[in-house]
Amino acid sequence: MLVVLAVLPALPGMRALLFPLTLTNIMATLAIAWNLLFGYAGLLSLGHSFFFGAAGYASAILSKSYGIPVPVAMVIGAAVSSGIAALVGLPSLKLRGHYFVLVTLVLPAVAYQLTNALDVLGGHDGIFGVPPLVRDSYAIYLGSLFLMLASLVASALVIRSGLGMEMISVREDEEAAKALGVDTPRVKLYALMISAFLSGLAGAYWAPLNG
C-alpha cells in the first residue's frame, strides 16, 4: 500500500493529483494529532487550527525574515505551538467539563484578531514569499506522506507508552485515575503539548505551500 501511495502520483497523467494528495496528508497529520488528544486523553479541542496556524506563521517568519533553513524553521514552529499549548494548558486544564472546550474555541478567534492587527503577521492577506521546502511537487508530496506516517508512528508509540496508559485512564475515569496515583494535570498537559507539536508540524509544512 505504501508503495502504491508513493509511486502512483508519479505516473504519467497523475501529476494533477499531487497537490490535493499533499493537502490530504497534511490534514491527516492534523487529524492524527487531534485524535491523540481527544481519542486517548478524552480532551475535546475545538481550536487545533490555532496550533496548526501558529506553527505555520512562526515557521514562515523564521525562514523568510531570518533566513533559517525551512526544515529547521518547521521544527521550531512546531515547538512554538507546543510551548503555547503549555501556556494555555496550565490554567485551562484545571477546568472541568465543557470549560476547557470553550477555552479552545476562543483561541482561533483571538488568533484571527491578532493576525489582522499585527503587521509582522501580514494582516488579513497573510505572509507571502515564504521560501519553499523544495521546488519539486513530487518531493513535496513524498515529504507530506512521510510526515503523516511519522505522526502516525509517533502517536502509536505514545499510546503504547506509560503516558498513553495514563491518558486512557484519565479518559475513562479521571477521579479513579487520580485515586490510583495518576498525576492527571501532568498527563493532560503532556497530551496537549504532544498533540499541539504534531499539529504544528502539519501547519509548518502547509505554510510554504501557501506563501
Side-chain angles (χ1 to χ4, degrees), residues 129-150:
V130 180
L133 181 61
V134 291
R135 298 193 178 278
D136 180 68
S137 57
Y138 180 61
I140 291 174
Y141 163 73
L142 289 179
S144 71
L145 180 62
F146 174 80
L147 177 65
M148 185 267 289
L149 294 174

Side-chain angles (χ1 to χ4, degrees), residues 6 31 37 73 75 110 136 145 158 168 184 195 202 206:
L37 184 66
V75 175
V110 172
D136 180 68
L145 180 62
V158 170
I168 294 172
T184 55
S195 179
W206 163 265

Side-chain angles (χ1 to χ4, degrees), residues 3-210:
V3 174
V4 173
L5 290 174
V7 174
L8 184 62
L11 297 177
M14 303 295 287
R15 300 284 292 186
L17 295 176
L18 285 174
F19 188 67
L21 287 176
T22 298
L23 297 188
T24 299
N25 289 333
I26 293 172
M27 293 300 111
T29 301
L30 179 61
I32 290 167
W34 184 86
N35 183 62
L36 182 64
L37 184 66
F38 179 59
Y40 291 92
L43 295 172
L44 177 59
S45 169
L46 300 179
H48 255 48
S49 59
F50 172 82
F51 302 121
F52 181 92
Y57 272 101
S59 175
I61 292 171
L62 290 172
S63 60
K64 178 184 177 182
S65 301
Y66 297 96
I68 294 177
V70 176
V72 177
M74 288 173 56
V75 175
I76 296 175
V80 168
S81 279
S82 186
I84 294 174
L87 294 176
V88 172
L90 283 172
S92 65
L93 288 172
K94 296 178 182 178
L95 304 174
R96 303 294 297 273
H98 301 300
Y99 296 107
F100 173 74
V101 180
L102 293 175
V103 170
T104 64
L105 183 61
V106 169
L107 291 177
V110 172
Y112 177 77
Q113 297 300 324
L114 286 176
T115 53
N116 284 331
L118 300 177
D119 292 337
V120 69
L121 299 180
H124 186 270
D125 294 327
I127 300 174
F128 291 95
V130 180
L133 181 61
V134 291
R135 298 193 178 278
D136 180 68
S137 57
Y138 180 61
I140 291 174
Y141 163 73
L142 289 179
S144 71
L145 180 62
F146 174 80
L147 177 65
M148 185 267 289
L149 294 174
S151 298
L152 191 61
V153 170
S155 178
L157 291 175
V158 170
I159 293 165
R160 287 165 172 76
S161 69
L163 175 62
M165 296 299 103
E166 291 178 330
M167 287 165 54
I168 294 172
S169 69
V170 170
R171 180 196 67 189
E172 294 301 317
D173 192 328
E174 184 173 347
E175 291 302 322
K178 189 180 298 184
L180 291 172
V182 176
D183 187 350
T184 55
R186 174 188 60 83
V187 170
K188 292 191 290 184
L189 180 63
Y190 285 179
L192 178 60
M193 291 177 64
I194 295 170
S195 179
F197 184 84
L198 294 178
S199 300
L201 286 177
Y205 201 91
W206 163 265
L209 301 182
N210 286 268

